Amino acid sequence: MTAVRIDGKAIAAELREKIAKEAETLIGETGVVPGIAVVIVGEDPASKVYVASKGKAAKECHFHSVEHALSADIGEAELLDLITKLNEDDAIHGILVQLPLPDHIDEAKVLDLIRPDKDVDGFHPINVGLLTSGARDKAMVPCTPAGTLILAKRAIGNLSGKDAVVIGRSNIVGKPMAALLLAESCTVTIAHSRTQNLEDIVRGADILVAAVGRPQMVKGDWIKEGAVVLDVGMNRIPAPERGEGKTRLVGDVDYDSAAERAGYITPVPGGIGPMTIALLMANTLTAARRKAGLDDLDYAELLG
Ligand code: GUN
């Protein structure tokens, strides 16, 4: 079998366009302009690229967008003060603090201070609790898992009863991804760096989500014939063929060999990454709509 390549880039562009239209309608009918604040601390080059993409997408969606770029040596108290101000700012519906934060800042303290209704990352304990206790509709759902789920559903429709394996147990991807797949009635296994017989576990997966951060770790012969393979990995590896010192981006899955067995597979780049940003826009629009007393939109349905 040769897998169908899931074009996350095109699907994300389509979703951003629908969100832009919905934002225009919201602005026209209520005067509410969805507002997002993105906070970045330090100079991590990858984080800077992500944050710039988020700002650009927000503007294209007609949102009010502000970026706070803070020096790596900023004190924790100063960052907490900024969060408090953004919590109180009526023009801001969504707050995102780009992770990771420098070691001298307590990440949990920062994330816990963000108002849950403005927590467009879905990392606040209230949102984590809502998602895992079956109240997904009231939660803010983390963007990467939410985008990954949309792609899985577009590929095969109903996920009920499927064997899903998530490699990675991070708060950003692995754990919320498992919660979402469980809510879709998958039988979910969470594998991680200490998992024994990983290959055998992956071989049982109808749906595989790889989010470990190890370049091309998952090999083609681990993949069940016809499986849906969703690669969240974003790893830079040396690419001497492109010139001295050059690098290229690869996923956690060895794409070429996996594509020979999978039914559907996301590429890196151009798969999950663009969906993450589109879902951040979706969450910001949701936050603004909730504040205006409007119902949530179903973004999978919006995509048609
Ligand atoms: N760093 C890597 N992924 C993410 C994400 O989804 N949200 C935030 N805030 N930081 C990240």
Side-chain angles (χ1 to χ4, degrees):
M1 174 178 265
T2 301
V4 173
R5 179 177 176 280
I6 303 175
D7 190 348
K9 190 175 170 189
I11 296 167
E14 202 182 311
L15 182 53
R16 289 198 311 273
E17 227 169 82
K18 306 260 183 192
I19 291 168
K21 282 215 181 76
E22 290 291 341
E24 267 182 330
T25 306
L26 179 72
I27 295 164
E29 288 179 359
T30 67
V32 174
V33 181
I36 179 166
V38 177
V39 179
I40 176 168
V41 183
E43 301 292 328
D44 178 62
S47 290
K48 280 170 110 172
V49 172
Y50 298 145
V51 166
S53 311
K54 289 167 184 173
K56 182 167 170 271
K59 290 202 179 79
E60 284 170 7
C61 287
H62 314 297
F63 292 0
H64 165 60
S65 161
V66 289
E67 186 186 317
H68 294 269
L70 309 175
S71 143
D73 58 7
I74 192 177
E76 186 181 274
E78 214 177 317
L79 178 57
L80 295 173
D81 277 351
L82 172 61
I83 302 293
T84 301
K85 285 202 186 80
L86 294 170
N87 277 342
E88 289 165 357
D89 185 342
D90 283 337
I92 296 298
H93 304 97
I95 302 169
L96 178 139
V97 178
Q98 186 67 28
L99 303 177
L101 289 169
D103 289 345
H104 68 280
I105 295 175
D106 180 346
E107 200 167 281
K109 216 166 168 182
V110 174
L111 297 180
D112 290 3
L113 185 63
I114 296 173
R115 269 175 50 165
D117 58 335
K118 293 193 178 190
D119 170 35
V120 282
D121 255 331
F123 296 161
H124 190 284
I126 293 266
N127 284 316
V128 176
L130 287 168
L131 172 61
T132 54
S133 65
R136 185 193 151 171
D137 291 353
K138 293 200 188 78
M140 279 285 164
V141 178
C143 306
T144 300
T148 304
L149 183 67
I150 287 179
L151 296 185
K153 286 172 116 178
R154 278 179 74 93
I156 58 166
N158 188 1
L159 309 186
S160 178
K162 301 287 183 194
D163 286 324
V165 173
V166 179
I167 316 178
R169 55 175 154 176
S170 71
N171 291 333
I172 296 180
V173 184
K175 281 185 263 188
M177 187 77 245
L180 283 174
L181 291 165
L182 188 58
E184 296 290 333
S185 301
C186 292
T187 304
V188 183
T189 303
I190 306 178
H192 46 78
S193 56
R194 303 286 175 91
T195 296
Q196 294 177 4
N197 305 322
L198 179 62
E199 297 182 28
D200 287 342
I201 290 168
V202 170
R203 282 193 182 102
D206 301 310
I207 299 165
L208 175 68
V209 179
V212 262
R214 295 230 210 136
Q216 299 166 314
M217 183 192 80
V218 176
K219 305 300 179 198
D221 64 350
W222 302 13
I223 304 292
K224 181 171 176 174
E225 200 70 40
V228 181
V229 176
L230 303 147
D231 191 351
V232 181
M234 296 262 246
N235 311 290
R236 286 225 157 263
I237 61 165
E241 71 280 6
R242 293 185 176 186
E244 204 188 312
K246 298 281 188 207
T247 60
R248 68 188 175 104
L249 207 54
V250 297
D252 293 343
V253 177
D254 181 44
Y255 183 90
D256 290 341
S257 62
E260 285 174 20
R261 292 172 65 99
Y264 299 85
I265 186 167
T266 60
V268 177
I272 305 295
M275 289 301 285
T276 295
I277 293 175
L279 268 292
L280 176 63
M281 302 303 119
N283 278 352
T284 305
L285 180 60
T286 296
R289 287 179 61 92
R290 286 180 183 174
K291 184 145 179 259
L294 298 169
D295 289 344
D296 290 358
L297 299 170
D298 181 329
Y299 294 100
E301 209 172 274
L302 208 61
L303 269 169

